[in-house]
Amino acid sequence: MLSEAVQDYLKAIYKLSRAPETGQMVSTTLIAERMGVSPASATNMIKRLAEMNILQHRPYQGVELTPSGVRMALEIVRHHRLLELYLRQALGYDWDAVDAEADRLEHAISEDFEDRIDEALGFPTVGAHGEPIPTKEGNIAETDYARLSELTTGQRACIRQVSDRDPALLRYLDQHGLVLGTEIRIAEKAPFSGPMRLDVGASGEQHIGLEVAEAIYVDVLD
Amino acid sequence: MLSEAVQDYLKAIYKLSRAPETGQMVSTTLIAERMGVSPASATNMIKRLAEMNILQHRPYQGVELTPSGVRMALEIVRHHRLLELYLRQALGYDWDAVDAEADRLEHAISEDFEDRIDEALGFPTVGAHGEPIPTKEGNIAETDYARLSELTTGQRACIRQVSDRDPALLRYLDQHGLVLGTEIRIAEKAPFSGPMRLDVGASGEQHIGLEVAEAIYVDVLD
DNA sequence: GAGTGAATTTAGCCTGTGCTAAACATTTAG
DNA sequence: CTAAATGTTTAGCACAGGCTAAATTCACTC
Ligand SMILES: [Mn+2]
Ligand SMILES: [Mn+2]
Ligand SMILES: [Mn+2]
Ligand SMILES: [Mn+2]
């Protein structure tokens, strides 16, 4: 069994390696930052993960998960996303509270528990914030969403996924009607990385900053 | 936050201190045995727990939880018993499978989670194996059940609680209709710690050994 | 009351996971 | 093309929680 610390590193490295900003090599600093740990501690763990064949380490260059590392990461991600959805649907958690709880539970549940909540949820393919849920076999749907921040005035879009990194941001989105499935139209996009004015389905007109717009992933409509 | 290891020691010591066999002082060996750990390791942990004022350690004599230690133990016990019941009622776990799962989850859930499953279960007072569930305030109902093994021929009784220590035993009880709430009559009790013959409500006549009879707690009926 | 066997503690070790400070590589700028 | 800045690793340490082997204490018997 992988320790809790190993599992959390693994998940963090997986997510970083999938982020569009970073190349396929993930840097020590980035991992350390994300884990809230000193760079030296990250290096230390990286060497142990490399020893376990969970990733390949090119010193001073970065880190890349091995195929088996990816598989292990997807198992943890599956736990996390199923749990988030279960907390929301079965226990009435708010959008912004599920991540913290799932971050602890993901290490404690059995495969049996995983299967039972999967069934209770009707075998969902998408999590509480719109992320694809990896299958038990280790496959994950590739998504091709645009960031809301990339759209221009007049375009219409449907919200498909939001970043789950910051609970305060999730609360903000909720209050402004920017939830999964909502259709929006860019009423105006200020230049020089300025704010956006949106027509949001039921909630009317909303002004949001760039950082918010970057955390929202959409399907562009026609 | 207490570490997982500390929480598990605490729970084990609490349960041992409440078992009728042991006096109020719990011995190092007993703790080591229950935790599956060497006596030296138990001593080591005991000294740390004493340092934290969770218990009082009289070297070579044993250990007794402080009032605040008892309170902490009851919190973990509450988590465990609510979880067991939730796994059973909400997710369809079998009687004999809930303990292992709850033993890991009990350390991972938040107070919020605790409150939500408590509510989902309708604020139960008794767990999946009949154990009283401590309240959030740290009170626990005193029970005064007889062991089935103590009864004599002709007595009638109602099963109120069973030991959750051994999954195989729980499966055995289930198969023989010896579940919570079942009424039974002692048809015959063989002398010299021999087996018992029982009339069990729906399941007819059953023969059980002493070890089984000691794991069943009952209310004697008039 | 001394001796013996069992229970307990102590001593010394190991692994996992964190830290800081210092050394070392790489990248960037002049 | 060298030098500073930045990123990364190494060295050395700490703490939690395990272990075994050796020492100690207790309880009991003779
Ligand atoms: Mn999440
Ligand atoms: Mn986690
Ligand atoms: Mn239990
Ligand atoms: Mn436990």
Side-chain angles (χ1 to χ4, degrees), chain A:
Chain A
M1 234 301 91
L2 301 178
S3 77
E4 200 165 315
V6 166
Q7 290 184 41
D8 276 336
Y9 272 95
L10 196 41
K11 192 178 62 159
I13 292 168
Y14 171 79
K15 286 198 193 169
L16 287 171
S17 73
R18 259 53 185 178
E21 293 82 8
T22 56
Q24 64 275 53
M25 290 260 118
V26 183
S27 77
T28 301
T29 325
L30 212 50
I31 296 168
E33 231 162 56
R34 191 59 71 97
M35 293 298 295
V37 121
S38 75
S41 298
T43 300
N44 185 31
M45 178 59 90
I46 284 166
K47 291 170 81 174
R48 297 200 2 253
L49 295 176
E51 195 55 49
M52 298 188 244
N53 282 312
I54 281 172
L55 51 76
Q56 234 193 311
H57 182 209
R58 301 254 306 284
Y60 293 98
Q61 301 307 126
V63 125
E64 190 176 9
L65 292 179
T66 62
S68 99
V70 171
R71 202 149 4 113
M72 294 182 214
L74 286 174
E75 260 207 58
I76 303 156
V77 170
R78 177 172 163 84
H79 281 193
H80 184 91
R81 293 185 179 164
L82 282 175
L83 277 164
E84 284 188 333
L85 204 55
Y86 187 81
L87 292 170
R88 190 149 173 65
Q89 314 240 294
L91 292 174
Y93 272 72
D94 286 329
W95 215 15
D96 59 299
V98 295
D99 188 68
E101 189 87 44
D103 254 338
R104 280 172 285 106
L105 289 170
E106 64 192 356
H107 314 288
I109 68 174
S110 65
E111 292 303 289
D112 189 21
F113 189 103
E114 174 194 318
D115 294 343
R116 284 172 195 267
I117 62 175
D118 189 29
E119 186 181 346
L121 291 168
F123 309 105
T125 58
V126 173
H129 309 104
E131 323 93 324
I133 298 175
T135 65
K136 213 165 169 53
E137 293 75 39
N139 300 309
I140 184 164
E142 290 288 326
T143 59
D144 187 30
Y145 301 134
R147 291 174 119 103
L148 182 55
S149 54
E150 298 163 2
L151 304 202
T152 55
T153 306
Q155 284 193 286
R156 295 188 321 112
C158 182
I159 299 180
R160 291 299 178 210
Q161 185 177 336
V162 299
S163 162
D164 70 340
R165 293 284 308 291
D166 182 357
L169 176 60
L170 286 171
R171 273 193 299 279
Y172 177 87
L173 294 181
D174 217 20
Q175 280 155 17
H176 292 76
L178 298 164
V179 298
L180 298 185
T182 303
E183 283 195 22
I184 53 189
R185 194 180 142 273
I186 317 294
E188 187 188 353
K189 181 168 198 259
F192 309 115
S193 308
M196 293 176 110
R197 190 151 55 81
L198 305 176
D199 289 330
V200 181
S203 320
E205 194 175 278
Q206 304 288 347
H207 297 252
I208 64 171
L210 182 69
E211 205 182 323
V212 172
E214 278 175 345
I216 299 174
Y217 298 86
V218 299
D219 267 338
V220 180
L221 299 176
D222 54 315

Side-chain angles (χ1 to χ4, degrees), chain B:
Chain B
M1 233 302 93
L2 301 178
S3 75
E4 198 165 318
V6 167
Q7 289 183 41
D8 276 337
Y9 272 95
L10 196 40
K11 191 178 63 159
I13 293 168
Y14 171 79
K15 286 198 194 170
L16 287 171
S17 74
R18 259 53 185 178
E21 292 83 7
T22 56
Q24 64 275 55
M25 291 259 118
V26 183
S27 76
T28 300
T29 325
L30 213 49
I31 296 168
E33 231 163 57
R34 191 60 68 95
M35 293 298 296
V37 120
S38 75
S41 299
T43 299
N44 186 21
M45 178 58 91
I46 284 166
K47 290 169 83 172
R48 299 204 357 257
L49 295 176
E51 195 56 47
M52 297 187 243
N53 281 312
I54 282 172
L55 50 76
Q56 231 193 310
H57 183 206
R58 301 257 304 285
Y60 293 97
Q61 302 305 126
V63 125
E64 190 176 8
L65 292 178
T66 63
S68 98
V70 170
R71 215 176 2 217
M72 294 182 213
L74 286 174
E75 259 208 58
I76 303 156
V77 170
R78 177 171 163 84
H79 280 193
H80 183 92
R81 293 184 179 165
L82 282 175
L83 278 165
E84 284 188 334
L85 204 54
Y86 187 81
L87 292 170
R88 190 148 174 64
Q89 315 241 294
L91 292 174
Y93 272 72
D94 286 329
W95 214 14
D96 60 299
V98 294
D99 188 68
E101 190 86 44
D103 254 338
R104 279 172 286 106
L105 289 171
E106 64 192 357
H107 314 287
I109 68 173
S110 65
E111 291 303 287
D112 189 22
F113 190 103
E114 174 194 318
D115 295 343
R116 284 173 193 267
I117 62 176
D118 188 29
E119 185 181 347
L121 291 167
F123 309 105
T125 59
V126 173
H129 309 105
E131 322 93 325
I133 298 175
T135 66
K136 212 164 170 53
E137 295 74 39
N139 300 309
I140 185 164
E142 291 288 325
T143 60
D144 187 31
Y145 301 135
R147 293 174 118 103
L148 181 54
S149 54
E150 298 164 0
L151 303 202
T152 54
T153 306
Q155 283 194 287
R156 295 186 321 110
C158 182
I159 299 180
R160 291 300 178 209
Q161 185 178 335
V162 299
S163 163
D164 70 340
R165 293 285 306 291
D166 182 357
L169 176 61
L170 286 171
R171 273 192 300 279
Y172 176 88
L173 293 180
D174 217 20
Q175 281 156 16
H176 293 74
L178 297 165
V179 297
L180 297 185
T182 303
E183 283 196 21
I184 53 189
R185 195 182 141 274
I186 317 295
E188 187 188 353
K189 181 169 197 257
F192 308 115
S193 308
M196 293 176 111
R197 190 152 54 81
L198 305 176
D199 289 329
V200 181
S203 320
E205 194 175 279
Q206 304 287 348
H207 298 251
I208 63 170
L210 182 68
E211 204 181 324
V212 173
E214 278 177 346
I216 298 174
Y217 298 86
V218 299
D219 266 339
V220 179
L221 299 177
D222 47 328

